[in-house]
C-alpha cells in the first residue's frame, strides 16, 4: 500500500481542497497561510466519506481562508511591526548593508536605499537565523536524549507553509526561519515533533503518545502555531 494518496477536489462552496490519505486514525482539515485548504484522512477512508467530512467544515475553511488572504501585506518599512519570540516590535529601517538587530523594543533593519520589501524581509530573516542558531542546539540535544536517538543534522529554511520537516532515512531535520517569530515554546514543540519522527513515521496514535510523553505541552504549543505567521 502506498504511503500516501493525494487528490485535488473542490468543496461545496467552490474552494479547492487537497485530500491526503495517510497512516493516521483521525480526519483533520487545515487552512495554510497561503490560503490553500488541505485535509488528511485515514488511508482506508473513501474519497466520498472524506469529502463529506470536509464539506461539514467548508464554512470554517472559507472563514479562515479569507482571514489569511485579507491580511495586510507587510512592506517591512518604518512604522510597521514584526514579531520576535512572540513579542511585537516596531521596525526602523536605516540605510546600510543588509542586516537586522534588536535595539531595545525595536528591530532595526539596515538595507541599501533602493532595497525593496523582499530585500528588507531577507534582512529581517538574518536576525531570525541568528536567534534560531542560538536556541536550537540545546533543544535538539535535549529531545534526542529524551527520545533515545542520535542528534540529527539540521538546517534552517525560509518555509512559509511548514514549521519543520524530517527525513528519517537520512537523519536530517529542517526548521522554518519563521519560528523565531513565535513564542519559544512553539520552537521547542516543533523540535520535539520533528525528532519524534526519527522514532515513529506518520502522525498516528503511537506518534502522538510518544511526542506527548517528552513534550506534555504539545497541544497548547500546536494551537499557537495555527495562528497566521507574521511574514
Amino acid at each position: 500500500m502506498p504511503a500516501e494518496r493525494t487528490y485535488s477536489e473542490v468543496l461545496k462552496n467552490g474552494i479547492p481542497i487537497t485530500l491526503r490519505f495517510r497512516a493516521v486514525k483521525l480526519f483533520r482539515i487545515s487552512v495554510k497561510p497561503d490560503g490553500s485548504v488541505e485535509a488528511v484522512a485515514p488511508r482506508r477512508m473513501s474519497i466520498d466519506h472524506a469529502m463529506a467530512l470536509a464539506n461539514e467544515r467548508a464554512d470554517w475553511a472559507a472563514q479562515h481562508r479569507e482571514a489569511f488572504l485579507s491580511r495586510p501585506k507587510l512592506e517591512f518599512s518604518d512604522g510597521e511591526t514584526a514579531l520576535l519570540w512572540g513579542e511585537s516590535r516596531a521596525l526602523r529601517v536605516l540605510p546600510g548593508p543588509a542586516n537586522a538587530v534588536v535595539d531595545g523594543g525595536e528591530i532595526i533593519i539596515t538595507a541599501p536605499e533602493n532595497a525593496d520589501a523582499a530585500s528588507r524581509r531577507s534582512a529581517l530573516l538574518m536576525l531570525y537565523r541568528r536567534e534560531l542558531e542560538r536556541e536550537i542546539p540545546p533543544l535538539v540535544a535535549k529531545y534526542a536524549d529524551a527520545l533515545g536517538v542520535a542528534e540529527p543534522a539540521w538546517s534552517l529554511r525560509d518555509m512559509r507553509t511548514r514549521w519543520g520537516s524530517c527525513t528519517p532515512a537520512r537523519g536530517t531535520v529542517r526548521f522554518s526561519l519563521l519560528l523565531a517569530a513565535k513564542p519559544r515554546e512553539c520552537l521547542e514543540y516543533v523540535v520535539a515533533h520533528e525528532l519524534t519522527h526519527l522514532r515513529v513515521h506518520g502522525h498516528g496514535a503511537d506518534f502522538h503518545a510518544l511526542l506527548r510523553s517528552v513534550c506534555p505541552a504539545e497541544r497548547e504549543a500546536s494551537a499557537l502555531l495555527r495562528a497566521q505567521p507574521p511574514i
Side-chain angles (χ1 to χ4, degrees):
M1 182 179 294
E4 178 178 304
R5 293 179 290 128
T6 303
Y7 300 90
S8 296
E9 301 290 338
V10 178
L11 294 172
K12 64 182 182 181
N13 52 9
I15 295 176
I17 183 172
T18 300
L19 289 180
R20 302 187 189 280
F21 293 84
R22 295 175 177 169
V24 299
K25 292 187 176 181
L26 299 175
F27 176 91
R28 68 178 185 273
I29 186 170
S30 61
V31 180
K32 304 299 183 182
D34 62 0
S36 61
V37 181
E38 178 179 294
V40 177
R43 284 176 179 169
R44 298 185 182 279
M45 183 178 288
S46 69
I47 295 177
D48 287 345
H49 187 186
M51 281 303 298
L53 294 175
N55 277 320
E56 290 178 1
R57 304 295 305 279
D59 292 342
W60 174 92
Q63 179 182 358
H64 283 72
R65 182 173 185 267
E66 177 61 25
F68 279 125
L69 296 178
S70 63
R71 70 183 186 268
K73 183 178 180 181
L74 288 176
E75 295 294 330
F76 305 96
S77 302
D78 281 314
E80 293 185 330
T81 60
L83 293 173
L84 179 64
W85 300 124
E87 297 182 0
S88 181
R89 295 174 180 264
L91 292 179
R92 185 151 54 100
V93 180
L94 300 174
N99 197 15
V101 297
V102 176
D103 183 14
E106 294 182 323
I107 294 175
I108 298 176
I109 293 176
T110 54
E113 291 187 4
N114 61 348
D116 58 10
S119 298
R120 293 190 292 271
R121 179 182 183 275
S122 295
L124 178 60
L125 292 183
M126 295 173 70
L127 171 62
Y128 283 5
R129 180 178 292 276
R130 292 194 303 272
E131 292 285 319
L132 289 166
E133 286 174 344
R134 183 186 70 240
E135 298 285 338
I136 287 177
L139 293 175
V140 168
K142 172 183 176 179
Y143 285 102
D145 180 66
L147 291 161
V149 298
E151 291 189 27
W154 58 271
S155 59
L156 295 168
R157 295 185 182 180
D158 183 11
M159 298 190 291
R160 305 194 196 199
T161 61
R162 303 181 71 180
W163 297 111
S165 62
C166 177
T167 305
R170 297 181 180 179
T172 57
V173 177
R174 292 152 297 281
F175 301 109
S176 171
L177 286 165
L178 301 187
L179 281 165
K182 294 293 185 178
R184 283 182 171 85
E185 56 263 38
C186 293
L187 172 62
E188 181 158 358
Y189 157 70
V190 172
V191 171
H193 182 114
E194 298 307 334
L195 266 64
T196 300
H197 281 305
L198 297 174
R199 286 275 308 273
V200 182
H201 297 185
H203 292 93
D206 290 345
F207 171 86
H208 285 288
L210 180 58
L211 173 57
R212 201 167 298 121
S213 72
V214 297
C215 183
E218 58 103 3
R219 288 178 176 171
E220 294 81 0
S222 178
L224 283 177
L225 285 174
R226 287 196 287 269
Q228 66 187 48
I231 59 177

